[in-house]
Amino acid sequence: MTTVHQLLNTALTPVLANTWAVELPPKPTYPAAVYDVDSQTEERWDVSGGYMQHDVNLVVLARTIEELDVLLPMDGGGSLRSALEAMPSFQFEDDSGDADYEPDPAVYARYLTVRLRTPRF
């Protein structure tokens, strides 16, 4: 069975090859994206608990706002958002906005939180 991380890598790396799970590598090249996943069983949807819901937190980092506006614009759209929305497991977008990236104040960042739903078995 394919894991949620494999599904995300398949969707996101064709858009931005420099995409990482959980944390960026030391001294990353920009633009870059990093995501983490919080998962829980959906027990109310199905008596057998046959589905998982995954809250995906994607952070996109770039040296310029213009790069961010292509990858993840504030007003919707963008290539990374479109890649997530095209996933069969996509449910909805929960939140998005500007983010701080404290390790490097010369880097701009945006976040996007979406919900995915995958079969458990």
Side-chain angles (χ1 to χ4, degrees), residues 4 36-45 49-56 89-92 114-120:
V4 69
D36 63 71
V37 181
D38 298 315
S39 301
Q40 63 183 1
T41 306
E42 281 191 1
E43 295 178 4
R44 289 186 229 162
W45 259 123
Y51 290 91
M52 296 291 292
Q53 69 180 20
H54 311 278
D55 290 326
V56 178
S89 57
F90 178 82
Q91 293 292 293
F92 58 86
V114 300
R115 168 95 31 101
L116 304 179
R117 183 172 187 251
T118 60
R120 190 166 170 216

Side-chain angles (χ1 to χ4, degrees), residues 20-34:
W20 305 92
V22 185
E23 64 182 52
L24 292 172
K27 299 183 182 185
T29 302
Y30 299 106
V34 62

Side-chain angles (χ1 to χ4, degrees), residues 3-104:
T3 69
V4 69
H5 289 92
Q6 291 168 327
L7 292 172
L8 287 162
N9 281 332
T10 298
L12 297 173
T13 56
V15 176
L16 182 59
N18 201 16
T19 298
W20 305 92
V22 185
E23 64 182 52
L24 292 172
K27 299 183 182 185
T29 302
Y30 299 106
V34 62
Y35 65 87
D36 63 71
V37 181
D38 298 315
S39 301
Q40 63 183 1
T41 306
E42 281 191 1
E43 295 178 4
R44 289 186 229 162
W45 259 123
D46 184 344
V47 174
S48 65
Y51 290 91
M52 296 291 292
Q53 69 180 20
H54 311 278
D55 290 326
V56 178
N57 307 298
L58 175 70
V59 177
V60 184
L61 305 113
R63 292 272 180 210
T64 69
I65 283 286
E66 292 77 19
E67 285 179 307
L68 284 181
D69 285 340
V70 170
L71 294 167
L72 192 62
M74 292 288 287
D75 56 358
S79 51
L80 289 170
R81 182 180 273 116
S82 296
L84 290 169
E85 290 173 351
M87 294 176 69
S89 57
F90 178 82
Q91 293 292 293
F92 58 86
E93 179 178 325
D94 188 44
D95 198 12
S96 66
D98 287 327
D100 294 326
Y101 184 62
E102 293 178 12
D104 187 346

